[in-house]
Amino acid sequence: MKNLNMLKGLDFVAVISLLGWGLGYFGQPHILARFMAADSHRSIRTARRIGMAWMVLCLAGAVGVGFFGIAYFQNHPDQAVNVSGNGERVFIELARILFNPWIAGVLLSAILAAVMSTLSCQLLVCSSALTEDLYKGFLRKNASQKELVWFGRAMVLLVALIAIALASNPDNRVLGLVSYAWAGFGAAFGPVVLFGVCWKRMTRNGALAGMVIGAATVLIWKQYGWLGLYEIIPGFAFSSIAIVLFSLLGREPSAAAQQRFDAAEAEYLTK
């Protein structure tokens, strides 16, 4: 029963840090891209039911693998060498030990499938943002479509090389890298997305300030590890404060922009 206590050995800061993971969902490009693909706001309700049902199954399976791993490796300590101090290998080792190599190969391919699904989406989103928002928006406004295609491909390669360099460090763990990226995306873009759909007073300068301050807070907080608090929480908080302050200090959005906001909100609430 001791393994059923989720808060065992955790202090208040650790519990708050775990809860802070939920803030990251609002700023993940590969998740937001799927929301953008919805044909209307009416599809979101159905997507929410499907998504939540799938997440419950996935997380229940992950918890089940953890419990099974505890029971198995406690009774077979001679086979626990490869998972000692690295819980990320429990699923891999169990699949290798318990199943025929053909079945184990299918199970292990699920890991690659999950990685490639997220990776491909993030690469495309990063490439698109760098190409359309940075290169065409600021550097080459009259760039041809062929030029943009080649620049986008180059950015995919560049981002992939940076990712490979980060992952090549043998001291890095998958969960550690994911938590860092999760905090960075969540703090930089999460508050902007939420304020964008909930507060019509947000301005361009407020959004830019929120993204910059949120990302900078995560980078600095990660280096110093103040209070042992997960960096997404202060990053999210400071980003939200920056959005409000810089938006209120500047001029209000145009009347046309506020009218479009009110019209979209009214349409969503009535349907």
Side-chain angles (χ1 to χ4, degrees), residues 1 7 12 16 19 28 64 68 70 96 105 115 134-135 156 158 163 167 174 176 202 211 218 229 268:
M1 295 296 293
L7 304 181
F12 178 75
I16 296 299
L19 294 175
Q28 303 307 311
F68 192 87
I70 292 173
R96 184 182 64 84
V115 171
L134 179 62
Y135 186 73
V156 169
L158 177 62
V174 174
M202 186 180 72
M211 288 188 288
V218 169
L229 186 66
Y268 177 78

Side-chain angles (χ1 to χ4, degrees), residues 10-265:
L10 301 180
D11 56 15
F12 178 75
V13 173
V15 173
I16 296 299
S17 296
L18 287 174
L19 294 175
W21 273 79
L23 298 174
Y25 279 94
F26 303 110
Q28 303 307 311
H30 62 289
I31 296 176
L32 296 176
R34 285 159 172 76
F35 279 97
M36 294 168 63
D39 56 357
S40 73
H41 64 271
R42 289 180 289 273
S43 302
I44 299 297
R45 293 183 174 88
T46 302
R48 178 182 61 196
R49 299 187 187 100
I50 297 173
M52 289 304 298
W54 174 244
M55 286 301 298
V56 168
L57 292 175
C58 287
L59 294 178
V63 172
V65 170
F67 281 129
F68 192 87
I70 292 173
Y72 183 88
F73 289 115
Q74 281 182 347
N75 290 283
H76 300 82
D78 57 311
Q79 298 182 359
V81 177
N82 292 328
V83 300
S84 179
N86 187 2
E88 296 174 358
R89 293 187 56 86
V90 169
F91 178 84
I92 298 174
E93 289 301 312
L94 286 177
R96 184 182 64 84
I97 293 170
L98 300 178
F99 294 96
N100 177 279
W102 290 93
I103 304 300
V106 173
L107 294 175
L108 295 179
S109 67
I111 301 175
L112 293 177
V115 171
M116 292 304 298
S117 172
T118 301
L119 175 63
S120 61
C121 187
Q122 289 191 346
L123 284 175
L124 290 175
V125 170
C126 290
S127 173
S128 177
L130 292 172
T131 302
E132 296 293 335
D133 300 334
L134 179 62
Y135 186 73
K136 185 178 180 180
F138 293 98
L139 302 178
R140 292 271 296 174
K141 294 185 178 181
N142 297 322
S144 65
Q145 190 63 36
K146 183 177 180 180
E147 182 180 349
L148 293 176
V149 169
W150 279 106
F151 183 83
R153 292 173 178 173
M155 289 301 99
V156 169
L157 179 60
L158 177 62
V159 173
L161 291 175
I162 294 174
I164 292 172
L166 292 173
S168 63
N169 186 348
D171 295 328
N172 286 334
R173 298 286 180 85
V174 174
L175 184 58
L177 292 173
V178 169
S179 68
Y180 196 12
W182 190 264
F185 280 125
F189 304 122
V192 175
V193 171
L194 290 178
F195 277 96
V197 298
C198 298
W199 190 42
K200 65 180 179 181
R201 182 63 175 79
M202 186 180 72
T203 63
R204 182 194 65 176
N205 291 339
L208 291 174
M211 288 188 288
V212 172
I213 292 177
T217 301
V218 169
L219 292 173
I220 297 172
W221 203 279
K222 177 68 174 180
Q223 296 301 317
Y224 294 97
W226 290 312
L227 305 176
L229 186 66
Y230 185 27
E231 53 269 16
I232 193 175
I233 297 176
F236 206 94
F238 289 139
S239 176
S240 301
I241 293 172
I243 291 172
V244 174
L245 288 179
F246 279 83
S247 295
L248 293 178
L249 289 175
R251 288 188 295 180
E252 292 187 9
S254 64
Q258 295 192 51
Q259 289 175 0
R260 288 198 299 271
F261 183 96
D262 292 335
E265 185 178 44

